[in-house]
Amino acid sequence: MKQRRLIIRSSILAIISIAIGYTFYINFFSDQSVVRAGDKAKNFVVADLVGETIELRELEGKGVFLNFWGTFCPPCEKEMPIMEELYHEYKDQGIEIIALNVDESDLVVQNFVDRYKLSFPVAIDKGRKITEAYGIRPLPTTILIDEHGEVVRVHSGFMDEPVVRKFLEEIKPQS
């Protein structure tokens, strides 16, 4: 009887140890990083705040400045007016800016867009599916995608006007 209890307890302990080890491995050692430069950008379909469908694949031929952000993020709030200003300068040069909010309510995001008078496409990643597919961790994070759908650069953190301008120049399609 004691030997049977020892075997059962040892088996349970082994299963728990394996589960804990697997959890640590997945959380700390597996590659959950952001998509990298040189990767093909992962396609997604999302509706913007005015109901227009945005499919990344349909933007091939344009440079795409894909910005993951939140209204609660002070650096995001500082860079949105910069993106708005430069959008007007670059939109006719084959550049598309897409601001992808990470799962906030429609009302909160719309109020933010109205406050800053943003005219570039803003969408909400409901359920954070796109955010997870790209492995986005800190906000803001911007993915620069060239006209061939290839990731050129991944940038995490705040961008001032010279940095945003430099990044837009990097993805401007070659005519």
Side-chain angles (χ1 to χ4, degrees), residues 44-48 52-55 98 100 123-126 130:
F44 61 83
V45 178
V46 67
D48 68 14
E52 297 290 323
T53 300
I54 300 169
E55 182 171 3
I98 300 171
L100 196 56
I124 302 172
D125 182 14
K126 303 280 185 185
I130 303 166

Side-chain angles (χ1 to χ4, degrees), residues 65 86 90 95 164-172:
F65 186 95
L86 293 178
Y90 282 88
I95 298 288
V164 174
R165 182 177 298 283
K166 176 182 174 248
F167 288 170
L168 291 170
E169 285 293 330
E170 282 183 31
I171 59 172
K172 191 163 55 168

